Amino acid sequence: MQALASEMGEQAPGSEVVATRLAEVLFIQVLRAHIASGAERNKGWLHGIFDPQIGTALSAFHDRVNTPWTVESLAEAAGMSRSAFAARFKELLGQTPLEYVTEWRMQKAMQLLQQRDRKHLDVARLVGYESDAAFSKAFKRVVGANPGEFLKRGFEGHGSPGMAEDF
């Protein structure tokens, strides 16, 4: 912190670059400390993403959110058996794989709906739902309002389900 403060206070050549790099290193050290603390309350995305197998499945899902993912297909992406994957996923993230998939899809859907130029069915398909009805039902279950109500309310009070506490 002292080195970062020193670099930020100086106007020496390269100070901005050094300060940026020091801030990046500090951020990584904070993440490492958070993960290493291992406290039960620290379950979440960070624990999963750094696990080699679960992280591989998370990356596959995030790269192709609209794929019809199942626990079996996620386990296959991780190179694990279905039961071992499901148990490890829940241990690291504190929720089942399909709960995570649904919550992440709804987070993505909220972002897409805020663009206002997208039809609900387009958003549904972009986040992995074939029908507007199935999407609306899942959206209401997770967000607490259907997509139309969410837009009318101006998306107030709707954070990222399951994600905020991870950081």
Side-chain angles (χ1 to χ4, degrees), residues 5-147:
S6 174
E7 286 296 332
M8 291 177 71
E10 294 178 19
Q11 294 303 317
S15 288
E16 186 176 321
V17 172
V18 171
T20 299
R21 296 298 182 261
L22 287 171
E24 290 171 354
V25 169
L26 182 60
F27 178 72
I28 291 167
Q29 293 294 352
V30 167
L31 287 177
R32 282 181 172 172
H34 174 75
I35 292 166
S37 70
E40 189 66 24
R41 65 176 170 64
N42 288 334
K43 288 183 177 179
W45 181 80
L46 283 175
H47 286 276
I49 201 69
F50 287 112
D51 180 269
Q53 292 170 304
I54 301 301
T56 299
L58 286 170
S59 293
F61 165 66
H62 284 272
D63 289 345
R64 297 181 313 278
V65 71
N66 64 338
T67 296
W69 291 103
T70 63
V71 176
E72 187 173 344
S73 63
L74 287 165
E76 188 176 305
M80 299 175 73
S81 74
R82 184 185 184 283
S83 58
F85 173 78
R88 181 84 176 135
F89 193 100
K90 181 142 184 151
E91 175 189 335
L92 292 175
L93 278 83
Q95 63 186 146
T96 69
L98 294 183
E99 287 170 341
Y100 179 87
V101 164
T102 301
E103 286 188 4
W104 184 259
R105 284 177 169 163
M106 295 308 111
Q107 175 64 30
K108 181 103 173 131
M110 286 189 287
Q111 293 170 354
L112 293 167
L113 287 167
Q114 290 174 15
Q115 295 174 6
R116 302 251 185 200
D117 61 340
R118 296 196 186 259
K119 295 179 183 176
H120 291 179
L121 184 56
D122 293 338
V123 171
R125 288 187 174 146
L126 287 169
V127 296
Y129 290 84
E130 287 300 316
S131 78
D132 189 37
F135 166 68
S136 291
K137 183 178 178 181
F139 192 92
K140 184 166 187 161
R141 187 179 72 250
V142 173
V143 178
N146 68 40

